[in-house]
Amino acid sequence: MLFTKYIRWSVVIFSGLWLGCNRSPIPDPGGGGSVDIDSTIFTKPDSIIPETLVIRNADLSLAASRRFGSEDIFEQTNMNVRAGIYSVARDFVGRQVNLNYSFMAPGNDSLKYRPFVILLHEGAFLYGDLGNEQGKARSLSAKGYATACINYRLGFNGGSESNPCGGNNMEIVQAVYRSVQDTYAALHYFASRSNDFGIDPGQMILAGSSAGAIAVSALLYMTEADFEALSPGITKALGKLDPNAGKSRFRVRALVSYLGYGVFKSSYVKASNALPTLFFQRTGDDVLAYEKGNLFSCPFYLQTEGAKSVSDQLKKLQVPYELNYQPVAGHLLDYPDNYVASRYAQFLKRLWGGKKHQITNENYQTVEDIVLK
């Protein structure tokens, strides 16, 4: 498996081929074949890293396109929508469950391979559904992205929607571990079918809301050894963190999150693995701490670190980020889906264009914008 975990900011070649979309003559990146080879290597101990990955769309061609930014290019009524099952797994009580997805991308698209966003929903690892992410997925697809909202395994002993604090730390860590396994399964599923879905496995983005943000952050920043340190024997009990390691090649370029953010330790984020990240969180979040606090505000659960702590870590590491915060109490945010999707898209366009910023926004107002060299 290819899972290199940092942005290569050197200038890459233009693909040399420009295609129009189905509404008007709009310059687009070529999608007809390989344009570059990614030879960056990240030595994550749990990963088997192939030496190269074919990049279908060079960064600068994506940055130069009218697509993928704040503007809606495609009509919502002209979308290719598919649904299916990406994996089958056992839940916390051993029941076999189908893990399904909802895929969306522009229909009749002239671009053969699109940047691909996988979205994970909220729900404290106990409830929720992929439908919760459909609003953002629709908005991103209208801008030219391919998207997939996925369900992942839910539930842990002692926990319920009405009482998420009824479990224990072993159960919580296992719930996160299962969600990471499922997200890996989704990455492999779509990467191995990139021609069928019309996606670029070298331009994959992970998006998570609340518990979904914890899942994608754990995938990016935690190894099996990290999980073992929190819950000894977890690998033997649940299997490999990435059961399909080495079966397909892909590259995650960035992480975008909503409804809070959480990682067990900000020290997991290092120069060797840090990815550009976009955050949305309230400073008085009472479910996932903005800085540091007990998970779900449950007094006996492990602590997590939120958007402020991790953005501070990225600041030290000179890694681009965008922190959107609301200086009020509560977990739920009140940004419209189309605004959130627009911030996601503009963030990615800056990355592709080599514009390295560390931006902080209070509500809708920029209060800090640091340009990195």
Side-chain angles (χ1 to χ4, degrees):
M1 179 198 83
L2 176 60
F3 191 76
T4 55
K5 314 239 331 246
Y6 58 88
I7 294 293
R8 181 180 53 149
W9 292 107
S10 59
V11 177
V12 295
I13 61 168
F14 278 97
S15 63
L17 180 62
W18 302 90
L19 299 173
C21 78
N22 65 335
R23 270 180 58 182
S24 57
I26 301 168
D28 284 318
S34 304
V35 298
D36 199 7
I37 298 293
D38 177 6
S39 59
T40 55
I41 302 298
F42 174 69
T43 56
K44 182 176 178 180
D46 296 337
S47 301
I48 300 172
I49 307 296
E51 292 183 357
T52 58
L53 172 70
V54 173
I55 299 176
R56 272 73 180 271
N57 297 300
D59 284 4
L60 286 183
S61 64
L62 296 173
S65 172
R66 181 179 159 192
R67 301 175 184 230
F68 314 125
S70 59
E71 183 180 3
D72 287 355
I73 303 296
F74 294 90
E75 299 289 348
Q76 296 280 356
T77 55
N78 187 26
M79 290 291 155
N80 172 23
V81 179
R82 299 167 59 176
I85 296 171
Y86 70 88
S87 186
V88 178
R90 300 282 179 181
D91 71 4
F92 71 107
V93 292
R95 295 171 300 197
Q96 185 169 287
V97 293
N98 293 330
L99 302 174
N100 57 317
Y101 67 85
S102 176
F103 174 86
M104 187 181 302
N108 302 317
D109 193 3
S110 57
L111 183 61
K112 188 173 182 180
Y113 300 106
R114 283 73 56 94
F116 182 51
V117 185
I118 296 180
L119 300 99
L120 278 71
H121 64 82
E122 75 277 16
F125 302 104
L126 292 166
Y127 59 93
D129 181 80
L130 61 80
N132 298 344
E133 296 298 301
Q134 291 284 22
K136 292 189 282 293
R138 282 191 294 268
S139 293
L140 287 167
S141 296
K143 303 176 191 308
Y145 293 86
T147 66
C149 303
I150 66 169
N151 282 332
Y152 53 94
R153 281 173 289 177
L154 299 176
F156 54 86
N157 287 312
S160 66
E161 183 172 353
S162 61
N163 182 26
C165 298
N168 57 49
N169 283 324
M170 182 190 74
E171 296 290 344
I172 285 290
V173 174
Q174 286 190 352
V176 176
Y177 194 94
R178 286 189 290 267
S179 72
V180 173
Q181 288 179 316
D182 296 344
T183 308
Y184 266 124
L187 285 164
H188 284 292
Y189 177 88
F190 288 105
S192 64
R193 295 164 177 79
S194 60
N195 291 332
D196 181 28
F197 284 99
I199 61 177
D200 186 346
Q203 297 285 0
M204 299 180 107
I205 298 96
L206 290 178
S209 295
S210 194
I214 294 175
V216 297
S217 295
L219 184 149
L220 294 172
Y221 296 130
M222 292 184 69
T223 65
E224 286 180 2
D226 294 325
F227 276 103
E228 284 287 340
L230 297 177
S231 181
I234 193 170
T235 307
K236 183 177 180 179
L238 300 182
K240 298 291 291 181
L241 190 60
D242 179 5
N244 299 304
K247 290 187 177 180
S248 57
R249 301 176 178 183
F250 55 82
R251 185 184 186 201
V252 176
R253 302 300 304 273
L255 186 158
V256 292
S257 64
Y258 187 68
L259 281 182
Y261 180 89
V263 65
F264 290 121
K265 297 179 183 179
S266 61
S267 59
Y268 292 150
V269 183
K270 305 177 181 68
S272 59
N273 65 7
L275 277 185
T277 304
L278 183 147
F279 309 89
F280 278 90
Q281 190 166 19
R282 285 187 168 187
T283 60
D285 195 326
D286 56 358
V287 174
L288 300 177
Y290 181 60
E291 295 189 49
K292 187 173 184 178
N294 295 92
L295 180 63
F296 308 145
S297 293
C298 300
F300 302 109
Y301 283 0
L302 290 167
Q303 289 195 327
T304 62
E305 298 187 52
K308 182 62 167 66
S309 297
V310 176
S311 63
D312 284 347
Q313 180 75 346
L314 294 176
K315 179 176 284 189
K316 294 176 187 176
L317 297 173
Q318 295 286 286
V319 174
Y321 67 81
E322 179 177 313
L323 171 63
N324 297 275
Y325 72 86
Q326 293 183 319
V328 291
H331 181 57
L332 298 180
L333 295 156
D334 54 17
Y335 298 100
D337 279 341
N338 59 354
Y339 176 79
V340 176
S342 180
R343 298 309 305 182
Y344 283 8
Q346 291 176 65
F347 179 71
L348 296 170
K349 286 278 272 190
R350 286 197 301 272
L351 297 180
W352 288 324
K355 299 175 181 178
K356 298 181 287 185
H357 291 248
Q358 294 179 331
I359 296 173
T360 302
N361 297 320
E362 180 178 312
N363 291 317
Y364 298 93
Q365 183 69 38
T366 299
V367 296
E368 184 176 64
D369 186 350
I370 301 171
V371 180
L372 302 177
K373 296 181 181 179

Short mmCIF file of all heavy atoms in Angstrom, two decimals, residues 9 271 274 276 311-321 356-358 370-373:
data_model
loop_
_atom_site.label_atom_id
_atom_site.label_comp_id
_atom_site.label_asym_id
_atom_site.label_seq_id
_atom_site.Cartn_x
_atom_site.Cartn_y
_atom_site.Cartn_z
N TRP A 9 5.97 19.82 -1.87
CA TRP A 9 5.65 21.17 -2.36
C TRP A 9 6.50 21.59 -3.56
O TRP A 9 6.39 22.72 -4.02
CB TRP A 9 5.85 22.18 -1.22
CG TRP A 9 4.85 21.99 -0.15
CD1 TRP A 9 5.05 21.45 1.08
CD2 TRP A 9 3.46 22.28 -0.24
NE1 TRP A 9 3.88 21.40 1.76
CE2 TRP A 9 2.89 21.91 0.99
CE3 TRP A 9 2.64 22.82 -1.23
CZ2 TRP A 9 1.56 22.07 1.25
CZ3 TRP A 9 1.30 22.98 -0.96
CH2 TRP A 9 0.77 22.61 0.26
N ALA A 271 6.88 15.88 12.31
CA ALA A 271 7.33 16.41 11.02
C ALA A 271 7.26 15.36 9.93
O ALA A 271 7.05 15.67 8.76
CB ALA A 271 8.75 16.96 11.15
N ALA A 274 2.96 14.83 9.44
CA ALA A 274 1.95 15.89 9.52
C ALA A 274 1.38 16.22 8.15
O ALA A 274 2.12 16.39 7.18
CB ALA A 274 2.55 17.13 10.16
N PRO A 276 -1.43 18.80 5.94
CA PRO A 276 -2.25 20.01 5.99
C PRO A 276 -3.66 19.67 6.45
O PRO A 276 -4.25 18.68 6.00
CB PRO A 276 -2.22 20.51 4.54
CG PRO A 276 -0.93 19.98 4.00
CD PRO A 276 -0.76 18.63 4.63
N SER A 311 -3.54 22.40 15.84
CA SER A 311 -3.11 23.50 14.96
C SER A 311 -1.85 24.16 15.51
O SER A 311 -0.97 24.58 14.75
CB SER A 311 -4.23 24.52 14.78
OG SER A 311 -4.58 25.15 16.00
N ASP A 312 -1.74 24.26 16.85
CA ASP A 312 -0.50 24.77 17.44
C ASP A 312 0.69 23.87 17.09
O ASP A 312 1.80 24.36 16.84
CB ASP A 312 -0.63 24.86 18.96
CG ASP A 312 -1.48 26.05 19.42
OD1 ASP A 312 -1.76 26.94 18.59
OD2 ASP A 312 -1.87 26.07 20.60
N GLN A 313 0.46 22.56 17.09
CA GLN A 313 1.52 21.62 16.71
C GLN A 313 1.90 21.80 15.25
O GLN A 313 3.09 21.81 14.90
CB GLN A 313 1.06 20.18 16.98
CG GLN A 313 2.07 19.10 16.63
CD GLN A 313 3.20 18.99 17.64
OE1 GLN A 313 3.39 19.87 18.48
NE2 GLN A 313 3.96 17.91 17.55
N LEU A 314 0.91 21.95 14.38
CA LEU A 314 1.19 22.18 12.96
C LEU A 314 1.91 23.51 12.75
O LEU A 314 2.77 23.63 11.87
CB LEU A 314 -0.11 22.17 12.16
CG LEU A 314 -0.85 20.82 12.11
CD1 LEU A 314 -2.18 20.97 11.36
CD2 LEU A 314 0.00 19.75 11.45
N LYS A 315 1.56 24.51 13.58
CA LYS A 315 2.25 25.80 13.47
C LYS A 315 3.74 25.63 13.75
O LYS A 315 4.59 26.15 13.02
CB LYS A 315 1.63 26.80 14.45
CG LYS A 315 2.31 28.18 14.42
CD LYS A 315 1.61 29.18 15.32
CE LYS A 315 0.34 29.67 14.69
NZ LYS A 315 -0.26 30.81 15.45
N LYS A 316 4.08 24.87 14.80
CA LYS A 316 5.48 24.63 15.12
C LYS A 316 6.20 23.88 14.00
O LYS A 316 7.37 24.12 13.72
CB LYS A 316 5.59 23.81 16.41
CG LYS A 316 5.11 24.51 17.66
CD LYS A 316 5.18 23.57 18.85
CE LYS A 316 4.55 24.18 20.09
NZ LYS A 316 4.54 23.21 21.22
N LEU A 317 5.48 22.98 13.36
CA LEU A 317 6.07 22.15 12.31
C LEU A 317 6.08 22.83 10.95
O LEU A 317 6.55 22.25 9.97
CB LEU A 317 5.31 20.82 12.22
CG LEU A 317 5.37 19.93 13.46
CD1 LEU A 317 4.43 18.73 13.30
CD2 LEU A 317 6.79 19.46 13.73
N GLN A 318 5.52 24.04 10.88
CA GLN A 318 5.48 24.80 9.63
C GLN A 318 4.65 24.08 8.55
O GLN A 318 5.03 24.03 7.37
CB GLN A 318 6.89 25.08 9.12
CG GLN A 318 7.72 25.99 10.01
CD GLN A 318 7.29 27.45 9.92
OE1 GLN A 318 7.55 28.13 8.94
NE2 GLN A 318 6.60 27.92 10.95
N VAL A 319 3.53 23.51 8.97
CA VAL A 319 2.63 22.80 8.08
C VAL A 319 1.37 23.66 7.87
O VAL A 319 0.83 24.19 8.84
CB VAL A 319 2.25 21.42 8.66
CG1 VAL A 319 1.20 20.73 7.79
CG2 VAL A 319 3.49 20.55 8.78
N PRO A 320 0.88 23.79 6.65
CA PRO A 320 -0.31 24.61 6.42
C PRO A 320 -1.54 24.09 7.16
O PRO A 320 -1.73 22.88 7.30
CB PRO A 320 -0.51 24.51 4.91
CG PRO A 320 0.83 24.15 4.35
CD PRO A 320 1.45 23.27 5.39
N TYR A 321 -2.36 25.01 7.63
CA TYR A 321 -3.64 24.65 8.23
C TYR A 321 -4.60 25.83 8.10
O TYR A 321 -4.19 26.96 7.81
CB TYR A 321 -3.48 24.24 9.70
CG TYR A 321 -3.07 25.35 10.64
CD1 TYR A 321 -4.00 26.26 11.15
CD2 TYR A 321 -1.74 25.49 11.04
CE1 TYR A 321 -3.62 27.28 12.00
CE2 TYR A 321 -1.36 26.50 11.90
CZ TYR A 321 -2.29 27.40 12.38
OH TYR A 321 -1.91 28.40 13.22
N LYS A 356 1.25 28.22 0.82
CA LYS A 356 1.31 27.61 2.15
C LYS A 356 0.96 28.66 3.21
O LYS A 356 1.76 29.54 3.52
CB LYS A 356 2.69 27.01 2.39
CG LYS A 356 3.05 25.89 1.42
CD LYS A 356 4.41 25.31 1.69
CE LYS A 356 5.51 26.26 1.28
NZ LYS A 356 6.85 25.65 1.43
N HIS A 357 -0.25 28.54 3.74
CA HIS A 357 -0.75 29.49 4.74
C HIS A 357 -1.11 28.76 6.03
O HIS A 357 -1.47 27.58 6.01
CB HIS A 357 -2.00 30.21 4.22
CG HIS A 357 -1.75 31.16 3.10
ND1 HIS A 357 -1.88 32.52 3.23
CD2 HIS A 357 -1.39 30.94 1.81
CE1 HIS A 357 -1.62 33.10 2.07
NE2 HIS A 357 -1.32 32.16 1.19
N GLN A 358 -1.04 29.50 7.12
CA GLN A 358 -1.61 29.08 8.39
C GLN A 358 -2.64 30.15 8.77
O GLN A 358 -2.29 31.24 9.22
CB GLN A 358 -0.52 28.94 9.46
CG GLN A 358 0.45 27.80 9.16
CD GLN A 358 1.55 27.67 10.19
OE1 GLN A 358 1.96 28.65 10.82
NE2 GLN A 358 2.08 26.47 10.38
N ILE A 370 -0.73 33.59 8.33
CA ILE A 370 0.72 33.49 8.27
C ILE A 370 1.11 32.79 6.97
O ILE A 370 0.64 31.67 6.70
CB ILE A 370 1.27 32.70 9.47
CG1 ILE A 370 0.89 33.38 10.79
CG2 ILE A 370 2.79 32.53 9.35
CD1 ILE A 370 1.21 32.55 12.00
N VAL A 371 1.92 33.43 6.18
CA VAL A 371 2.41 32.85 4.93
C VAL A 371 3.72 32.13 5.20
O VAL A 371 4.68 32.74 5.70
CB VAL A 371 2.58 33.92 3.85
CG1 VAL A 371 3.09 33.28 2.55
CG2 VAL A 371 1.27 34.66 3.59
N LEU A 372 3.75 30.85 4.90
CA LEU A 372 4.96 30.05 5.12
C LEU A 372 5.90 30.16 3.93
O LEU A 372 5.46 30.26 2.79
CB LEU A 372 4.59 28.59 5.36
CG LEU A 372 3.64 28.29 6.51
CD1 LEU A 372 3.31 26.82 6.57
CD2 LEU A 372 4.25 28.75 7.84
N LYS A 373 7.17 30.11 4.20
CA LYS A 373 8.15 30.16 3.12
C LYS A 373 8.35 28.78 2.53
O LYS A 373 8.18 27.77 3.18
CB LYS A 373 9.48 30.70 3.66
CG LYS A 373 9.40 32.15 4.14
CD LYS A 373 10.74 32.64 4.63
CE LYS A 373 10.65 34.08 5.12
NZ LYS A 373 11.96 34.58 5.63
#
